[in-house]
Amino acid sequence: MNLYRIVYASTLSESFSSQDIEHILASSRRNNKKQDVSGMLLFSHRYFLQCLEGSRDNINQTYQRILSDERHCRVTIVSYENVTQREFCAWSMGYVPESHLTRELLFKFSASATFDPYTLSNVSALALLKSLHGTVI
Ligand code: FAD
């Protein structure tokens, strides 16, 4: 089965401006749709947590572009795995803004109620993203 999922964490760079998120979502949705890539992007407290699903080649190409994007830094893989099904097939790139991330939810999946994706295990990171299905815009 040539279906893969990557989850990574990253941090906003100094040059990031509030309009950048709209540009990132527009590029992501356009490019991912063409490449049959699905996923979700969570943004909170200067951090991103993103999941990308698709063929190994398309995931790797997308991740390479993301890696060299200067709008964020400290890009760190949380998990990379061969999977049997997509978890985010409804979205070329679903977006969860920080207002949707409650302290209760963070407390459920991490050691504190503060969002820091670098401290999440691979299992907790995916569980957190899945729990946000209903709040995706
Ligand atoms: P365009 O969409 O045509 O670029 C549009 C504009 O975005 C440019 O004019 C420029 O102003 C700006 N821009 C583009 N690249 C950069 C850059 N490297 N640094 C600064 N500004 C830039 N892309 C995807 O295809 N799929 C994703 O899922 C995805 N997720 C992302 C998640 C995060 C957290 C970040 C920071 C970026 C993500 N991107 C994603 C964007 C990716 O890094 C590339 O910018 C994008 O893929 C380039 O697409 P494009 O060649 O069609 O450029």
Side-chain angles (χ1 to χ4, degrees):
M1 172 66 105
N2 182 23
L3 181 60
Y4 282 76
R5 179 186 303 124
I6 188 169
V7 177
Y8 74 84
S10 68
T11 304
L12 290 190
S13 63
E14 292 301 322
S15 61
F16 190 89
S17 73
S18 53
Q19 299 99 312
D20 280 333
I21 197 71
E22 294 302 327
H23 296 148
I24 288 168
L25 285 174
S27 310
S28 302
R29 286 168 178 161
R30 189 182 59 247
N31 295 335
N32 295 358
K33 195 171 179 187
K34 275 191 231 157
Q35 293 202 296
D36 295 323
V37 169
S38 50
M40 192 187 297
L41 178 66
L42 171 58
F43 168 56
S44 182
H45 284 88
R46 299 192 60 78
Y47 296 128
F48 289 110
L49 181 66
Q50 187 178 29
C51 169
L52 297 163
E53 302 169 325
S55 74
R56 183 167 54 196
D57 284 352
N58 291 347
I59 292 298
N60 286 345
Q61 282 168 22
T62 304
Y63 183 69
Q64 290 297 325
R65 284 201 308 279
I66 292 173
L67 204 51
S68 60
D69 195 316
E70 290 157 10
R71 291 170 289 191
H72 64 167
C73 55
R74 283 184 70 204
V75 184
T76 304
I77 293 176
V78 175
S79 65
Y80 182 72
E81 58 184 337
N82 190 203
V83 295
T84 53
Q85 63 178 40
R86 295 175 193 255
E87 294 293 349
F88 307 100
C89 51
W91 303 282
S92 54
M93 190 42 59
Y95 176 58
V96 181
E98 64 185 329
S99 56
H100 294 190
L101 195 59
T102 62
R103 287 179 61 80
E104 290 75 19
L105 206 53
L106 288 169
F107 196 64
K108 182 173 176 184
F109 293 108
S110 51
S112 81
T114 306
F115 182 56
D116 180 350
Y118 298 98
T119 65
L120 293 174
S121 71
N122 56 341
V123 175
S124 298
L126 184 62
L128 173 63
L129 288 169
K130 282 168 66 177
S131 74
L132 289 161
H133 264 191
T135 66
V136 172
I137 57 173

